[in-house]
Amino acid sequence: MNQNALPTIRAILEGAFFSPLRLEDWPAFLFGQPGLLGLEDEEAFDLFVRAAVVAQTVHPEQCQDGQPLEWLFAIDDHAVELAHALAEMRVDRPLLFHRMLLSLPAVSEGRLDPRDFDVVEDFLASALHQNMELRQAAAAEIDVLAGRGLRAAGLDPDNPPAQLAEVAAALLARPEARQCHSDLELLYWLTEGDQRPADALALGAVVEAWRRWAAAASAQPQGLGLLRRLLPALDLTADDLAEHAPTRHQENPVITAQCPFCGRQSSLALGRVIKELTRCPHLIFVGTSDEAHLFEVLRHFALGRDVENLLESYYNSPDDLDLYATFVNDMCEMLIDQGRLDSVPVACESTPKAFHYLRAYFARQDDEDEPTKH
């Protein structure tokens, strides 16, 4: 075996235009929107659920059979369902909506005026029709690089060994592969330590495993099955989707959360007007993991007005949104590590999964740290 084959293969595959590619980047490629790159697990799942629910209404003929993820993969133009999903997320995930809006050329270049539209969904749909076709570009890149990689391994891309697919599938079925959340992590695991390939077939399996993983993360049709296996939360049936769908306001559901500090339960009745039923003294906020909501959580701590002004300036600057998100997340992690902040998912007896996107945030009182005085 050519001793230089392995570093050559790694260099070829790591040179992909989309690298580093994260497993949670699949919505960006499916919807053709760079503004959706870098989503967190909860954000990607929430967007998936909302878009699939809209797809049932907009494309009923394509959503009769199969699973919700298959529906979205089969739809050619996602502008309408993505527009409705994003419009719903304006309140639930403000930073995601804000970041996505600023990434749209029709918006950032001022080619569309929101005042020309009666509803925000129509405005967003018009802006979203100009997608970047990221999925098609990634498919071409994957084919080219995989071919180069197989040739570097000493194999013929047009006539690969019959065992190649089986060996690659076995690699991707291993628990270690399921822990890889980027193409770089996958390549590192495939080429280092006990996994280091020793012959042409094993080298080719590295390339084929990368090809399949990249196809899944970039929302290629042939990667659908692997994507569901790597992200089991996406493996929903139509009945599962109905349980996760947001409830109607007129149902007035009650959500509850148990305080991790005092053990008392807080409860809210939701509707057009939110009514507080019970509340423990530690509850400070109910919302999502969106950084704009986390900023509201941080306002309950001693940030200082200058720090708040600085963060607000970051939020209002498109170039500083990543800095805003990093600062807010780091602050929250620090407070959690100090035992001053905690959060729990909310529960709802009538619709247990409909509020999968909400969390209740609790802050420990400063005077709870003081020793008891006698």
Side-chain angles (χ1 to χ4, degrees):
M1 183 188 73
N2 182 355
Q3 295 300 317
N4 294 322
L6 186 57
T8 299
I9 289 172
R10 282 190 59 162
I12 290 171
L13 302 182
E14 289 175 356
F17 78 83
F18 49 68
S19 187
L21 175 66
R22 298 170 62 254
L23 194 56
E24 295 78 11
D25 287 337
W26 69 268
F29 288 88
L30 180 66
F31 297 123
Q33 298 296 338
L36 296 175
L37 290 169
L39 295 184
E40 298 175 357
D41 287 344
E42 291 182 10
E43 293 175 321
F45 180 77
D46 199 7
L47 183 63
F48 156 61
V49 167
R50 294 171 191 258
V53 169
V54 177
Q56 284 183 298
T57 301
V58 179
H59 305 282
E61 70 288 349
Q62 292 182 260
C63 301
Q64 294 179 359
D65 302 313
Q67 294 181 286
L69 191 60
E70 293 173 332
W71 307 341
L72 294 180
F73 268 60
I75 295 170
D76 293 326
D77 186 352
H78 298 90
V80 174
E81 60 263 30
L82 183 55
H84 282 263
L86 289 172
E88 287 183 359
M89 297 171 85
R90 281 181 299 167
V91 175
D92 296 328
R93 300 195 181 274
L95 180 63
L96 172 58
F97 176 82
H98 185 59
R99 185 178 64 217
M100 181 63 200
L101 193 65
L102 295 178
S103 74
L104 300 175
V107 175
S108 61
E109 296 169 10
R111 288 187 273 112
L112 284 179
D113 188 342
R115 292 172 295 184
D116 295 335
F117 299 85
D118 293 330
V119 293
V120 68
E121 289 84 351
D122 291 342
F123 167 68
L124 289 171
S126 296
L128 289 164
H129 272 300
Q130 304 170 14
N131 69 64
M132 299 276 295
E133 296 188 347
L134 295 179
R135 181 159 59 160
Q136 295 86 336
E141 182 84 343
I142 291 169
D143 285 344
V144 169
L145 295 187
R148 291 176 184 172
L150 289 176
R151 281 190 289 271
L155 302 175
D156 180 0
D158 298 323
N159 188 28
Q163 312 99 301
L164 186 63
E166 182 180 345
V167 176
L171 286 173
L172 291 173
R174 290 180 56 174
E176 296 92 333
R178 296 176 181 271
Q179 296 173 6
C180 297
H181 287 274
S182 74
D183 64 321
L184 297 182
E185 289 181 10
L186 180 75
L187 283 173
Y188 181 82
W189 172 70
L190 288 171
T191 58
E192 298 293 335
D194 295 338
Q195 200 55 47
R196 191 178 182 88
D199 54 35
L201 179 62
L203 283 168
V206 168
V207 178
E208 181 62 20
W210 173 87
R211 181 210 294 266
R212 294 180 177 210
W213 193 97
S218 60
Q220 306 302 326
Q222 67 272 27
L224 175 61
L226 179 59
L227 182 63
R228 282 196 301 231
R229 291 195 296 274
L230 294 173
L231 295 174
L234 302 180
D235 197 21
L236 297 183
T237 65
D239 290 340
D240 294 331
L241 180 67
E243 293 182 2
H244 284 83
T247 59
R248 297 186 300 275
H249 286 305
Q250 58 266 32
E251 293 177 351
N252 295 322
V254 174
I255 59 173
T256 61
Q258 187 171 16
C259 178
F261 297 118
C262 69
R264 292 171 58 185
Q265 188 177 82
S266 297
S267 58
L268 299 172
L270 304 183
R272 297 193 180 280
V273 177
I274 297 176
K275 182 180 179 181
E276 185 177 289
L277 302 179
T278 61
R279 181 190 185 100
C280 91
H282 301 96
L283 180 68
I284 56 174
F285 191 77
V286 175
T288 69
S289 60
D290 186 90
E291 286 83 1
H293 281 186
L294 294 181
F295 181 41
E296 297 304 318
V297 171
L298 291 178
R299 288 183 187 273
H300 290 266
F301 296 85
L303 287 185
R305 188 61 220 169
D306 291 336
V307 173
E308 292 188 15
N309 288 339
L310 178 63
L311 286 174
E312 288 170 354
S313 73
Y314 289 162
Y315 187 84
N316 292 320
S317 170
D319 293 336
D320 293 328
L321 287 178
D322 286 342
L323 185 59
Y324 171 90
T326 299
F327 188 100
V328 169
N329 281 314
D330 286 351
M331 282 290 295
C332 286
E333 288 178 9
M334 181 191 74
L335 293 168
I336 291 171
D337 289 342
Q338 292 174 349
R340 300 164 61 193
L341 173 67
D342 205 349
S343 69
V344 298
V346 302
C348 182
E349 186 175 348
S350 60
T351 53
K353 297 180 181 179
F355 299 98
H356 60 272
Y357 53 92
L358 289 181
R359 299 188 69 85
Y361 293 87
F362 299 86
R364 193 178 63 188
Q365 309 293 331
D366 289 338
D367 56 10
E368 292 182 54
D369 293 329
E370 296 180 4
T372 302
K373 297 179 180 179
H374 299 283

